[in-house]
Amino acid sequence: MSQVDEQREKIRSATGFIAALDQSGGSTPKALRLYGIEEDAWTTDAEMFDLVHAMRTRIMTADAFDGERILGAILFEDTMDREVLGRPTPEYLWGVKHVVPFLKVDKGLDDPADGVQRMKPIPGLDDLLTRAVGAGIFGTKMRSVIKEANDTGINAVVAQQFEIAGRIIDAGLVPIVEPEVDIHCPDKAAAEQRLKAGILAALEQLGEGRQVMLKLTLPEEDGFYSDCVAHPAVLRVVALSGGYSRAEANERLARNPGVVASFSRALTEGLSAQQSDEEFNTALDRSIQSIYDASAT
């Protein structure tokens, strides 16, 4: 079995969850602040990215972070291009930890329109995808946000996501389509209904043998995405924590069979730069186990 086939089978069928370690330039200061590093600790973007890479390295090299409970990890482009313990990050993840590497490819959110934020244009996407394949990346992730149950906006988000997903599949990678529904959306359940209808229609147009993954907000109705979980064009459905606490995200996740976590902030909740390595590993192990248990339903 080839490496890609082995990775695909792990993502498709293994028990576990995906760690989202892909905070980018805009979200990095908040991630560092939650980790106990204030903004006066750096003066340039380069120093900031050094600090966040050190945080991610501490997570990835911890004993608790392993392929027994973690299916994959989503990386920021800067992280893909760096090394962990002297090995390129994607190579370290798969070769040492048996964790499947993914890459965040979007460039952030466009201005709000029609109740949503679509993705900004992604210049140089094809070159980035070529580099990702060469680096041993298995799949990609790209995020949009839905703030209202607006048909025009939701249709635009789905159309953009699946148009780019097609290019990613053509490049030999598996795209994670992430049309997040804001947990503060005043008509969240209605937005989810409209989003799911759009996703199911788009899946039918993908073409024979072409698959995506879906990263979705934990829904108001338990088991709401079961038809997406069962769809042959969907390799796996994962859920984002979306601002819920880890405890609430885990509770909601456990009520959605077949959906596994892809948590970022909820994964690192409780971790601190000031912790000893023993304290850090204990806290990370507790976090990973709770998310793993909620994903195993």
Side-chain angles (χ1 to χ4, degrees):
M1 184 183 291
S2 72
Q3 176 176 302
V4 171
D5 288 340
E6 188 180 350
Q7 292 174 338
R8 182 182 291 270
E9 183 57 28
K10 175 164 188 162
I11 295 298
R12 186 189 71 80
S13 63
T15 304
F17 68 96
I18 293 177
L21 305 176
D22 59 330
Q23 299 91 350
S24 56
S27 54
T28 295
K30 181 179 179 182
L32 286 171
R33 190 165 61 251
L34 291 171
Y35 182 55
I37 298 177
E38 297 297 332
E39 291 190 37
D40 60 6
W42 69 87
T43 55
T44 66
D45 282 353
E47 291 173 349
M48 177 184 74
F49 285 125
D50 285 345
L51 287 168
V52 81
H53 187 67
M55 178 187 80
R56 290 167 177 153
T57 296
R58 195 180 189 194
I59 293 169
M60 288 185 282
T61 58
D63 290 342
F65 191 94
D66 63 66
E68 293 298 312
R69 294 179 292 180
I70 297 170
L71 303 175
I74 305 171
L75 308 175
F76 178 49
E77 183 181 349
D78 179 78
T79 312
M80 177 185 77
D81 292 336
R82 290 182 184 244
E83 294 186 345
V84 174
L85 300 185
R87 299 176 68 165
T89 306
E91 180 187 309
Y92 175 84
L93 282 172
W94 182 248
V96 176
K97 296 289 188 165
H98 209 61
V99 170
V100 179
F102 290 80
L103 175 67
K104 167 188 162 73
V105 295
D106 69 80
K107 300 298 184 185
L109 299 172
D110 221 333
D111 293 334
D114 297 318
V116 303
Q117 286 182 273
R118 300 170 72 214
M119 293 179 286
K120 290 179 179 176
I122 311 176
L125 176 62
D126 293 336
D127 289 341
L128 178 59
L129 298 177
T130 299
R131 282 206 299 119
V133 170
I137 294 289
F138 171 78
T140 65
K141 191 211 80 163
M142 50 189 175
R143 171 176 172 261
S144 316
V145 176
I146 295 165
K147 295 179 176 292
E148 299 173 15
N150 180 306
D151 282 331
T152 300
I154 291 172
N155 289 341
V157 160
V158 172
Q160 184 189 39
Q161 283 274 351
F162 276 85
E163 185 272 322
I164 298 173
R167 293 169 60 187
I168 292 166
I169 294 169
D170 289 342
L173 298 160
V174 176
I176 300 177
V177 170
E178 185 184 6
E180 174 182 346
V181 177
D182 192 316
I183 65 170
H184 303 296
C185 176
D187 35 13
K188 182 169 177 279
E192 287 166 348
Q193 290 279 359
R194 292 168 186 179
L195 174 62
K196 185 171 77 167
I199 289 172
L200 289 171
L203 290 172
E204 294 304 316
Q205 303 301 316
L206 264 185
E208 186 72 26
R210 292 163 71 83
Q211 287 186 310
V212 300
M213 294 171 64
L214 301 174
K215 182 167 179 175
L216 303 168
T217 304
L218 291 157
E220 294 304 290
E221 179 186 328
D222 295 345
F224 182 68
Y225 290 115
S226 59
D227 40 3
C228 294
V229 171
H231 199 288
V234 178
L235 182 61
R236 201 84 188 241
V237 178
V238 301
L240 56 108
S241 49
Y244 294 123
S245 69
R246 182 166 66 231
E248 183 172 358
N250 282 339
E251 287 174 10
R252 284 175 172 259
L253 179 61
R255 300 196 300 267
N256 286 274
V259 179
V260 304
S262 177
F263 292 172
S264 174
R265 181 201 40 77
L267 170 65
T268 57
E269 187 179 303
L271 300 181
S272 167
Q274 288 73 40
Q275 290 167 329
S276 68
D277 287 345
E278 182 180 356
E279 290 169 335
F280 181 89
N281 200 62
T282 298
L284 181 60
D285 182 71
R286 188 181 305 119
S287 172
I288 287 172
Q289 189 61 45
S290 73
I291 298 169
Y292 175 88
D293 290 342
S295 295
T297 56

